[in-house]
Amino acid sequence: MSAAPVIEQLSRETGISTAAALFDKIPPHPVDPVLSPLFRRGGLPRGELVTVTGELSLSCGLATIAAATREQKWCAGIGLGEPAVSSIADLGVDLDHFVNLATPGEDWLRVASILIESFDIVLVDPGFAPSASERARLLAKIRERRMSLISLRPMSGSTEQIEIADTRWSGAEHGRGRLQSCLVRARSQTGSHRFLLPGPSGTPASVPAGTLEVVTGGVPAGTANAAAEAHTAPATSPDTDPDMDTDPDMGTDPGTDTADDPRWSTITQLRQVISHVG
């Protein structure tokens, strides 16, 4: 039997609201405007579990709590290791309202249950997956305290899931310079989004107009075909291979002009790339 008719009837009764309606009236914790589109209500939901997974999930999680710490909301990290304090500050986190606890993986659930009582946001990298009963008790506590729990690993019961799908760093050109920013593509319930994390100043930033799309493997979209050609190009150079002119697979005889062979075009492009990099 479907519960939808019962919920609809209760929602029409005076003074009775569904749980979803109740939480819709609770304003979310603020997040950086660049990250706001990732969330259905424009901010970090309170009384709910949120997961942030994939590469750079820790940076994204810290950037998510930054605005709340600047509004003097207390945040705690569990199982995050020992990230550089300066890096946390660069992401915009107010260190006066952030506590990072070095907790053994087997103790994360017990420590989280304690911190939920007094912290506004808890960011955790779980050491293990809780059982169904443990998860139910944890979610009940989160709802009761109207705080936010961010997990850096997938966990059942999360109301919003953010996945960092692809990343591409920039700044070190031809092996020189320093990394300055990272172009990120993230997926959530609101769709696919692109932003810089970190941006040039360390905090999240919008993507400049004309920036190439991120593709799997970190290769700019405009160079994917060139990379494929380079991968399939012959391993030896024709002017150093004495058998190249007589190779039956080339379809040419000694002395025949091979300039029209399409593989020469690929070899020429490969030489240009090698010369440019060198």
Side-chain angles (χ1 to χ4, degrees), residues 38-275:
L38 292 171
F39 300 92
R40 288 178 294 181
R41 297 197 289 275
L44 183 62
R46 294 197 289 172
E48 300 178 30
L49 167 66
V50 175
T51 59
V52 180
T53 59
E55 189 177 359
L56 294 183
S57 59
L58 176 56
S59 294
C60 187
L62 290 169
T64 297
I65 70 173
T69 62
R70 294 195 298 270
E71 290 196 357
Q72 301 185 353
K73 303 295 184 181
W74 281 96
C75 303
I78 304 174
L80 307 183
E82 298 181 3
V85 174
S86 59
S87 299
I88 298 175
D90 286 344
L91 289 169
V93 176
D94 179 6
L95 298 179
D96 289 336
H97 290 85
F98 177 73
V99 178
N100 186 37
L101 301 177
T103 305
E106 62 272 16
D107 287 339
W108 81 265
L109 186 59
R110 179 177 61 86
V111 175
S113 298
I114 296 172
L115 295 180
I116 285 172
E117 298 289 341
S118 53
F119 278 78
D120 299 291
I121 304 172
V122 173
L123 177 64
V124 59
D125 188 356
F128 62 88
S131 66
S133 59
E134 290 172 333
R135 188 172 60 249
R137 289 193 296 269
L138 183 69
L139 293 175
K141 259 192 165 183
I142 294 171
R143 288 192 297 268
E144 179 185 355
R145 301 300 300 178
R146 295 187 179 182
M147 57 83 62
S148 302
L149 181 67
I150 303 175
S151 172
L152 300 184
R153 296 181 188 272
M155 189 179 299
S156 299
S158 59
T159 57
E160 299 202 38
Q161 302 88 36
I162 299 172
E163 178 191 4
I164 308 299
D166 296 295
T167 60
R168 177 162 59 87
W169 286 91
S170 62
E173 301 297 338
H174 309 305
R176 299 180 181 179
R178 62 185 181 87
L179 297 175
Q180 297 177 348
S181 62
C182 184
L183 176 60
V184 172
R185 181 167 64 87
R187 291 192 293 260
S188 69
Q189 277 85 350
T190 60
S192 180
H193 307 274
R194 294 197 309 159
F195 51 90
L196 299 180
L197 180 68
S201 63
T203 56
S206 300
V207 178
T211 303
L212 293 174
E213 179 61 273
V214 180
V215 297
T216 302
V219 181
T223 61
N225 292 336
E229 291 176 353
H231 179 70
T232 57
T236 56
S237 175
D239 56 2
T240 60
D241 188 350
D243 298 326
M244 181 66 74
D245 291 338
T246 58
D247 188 343
D249 292 337
M250 289 291 292
T252 58
D253 296 324
T256 303
D257 185 6
T258 58
D260 293 334
D261 193 291
R263 276 169 284 195
W264 279 100
S265 175
T266 300
I267 294 172
T268 301
Q269 292 179 14
L270 184 59
R271 283 174 170 170
Q272 292 174 350
V273 171
I274 295 173
S275 174

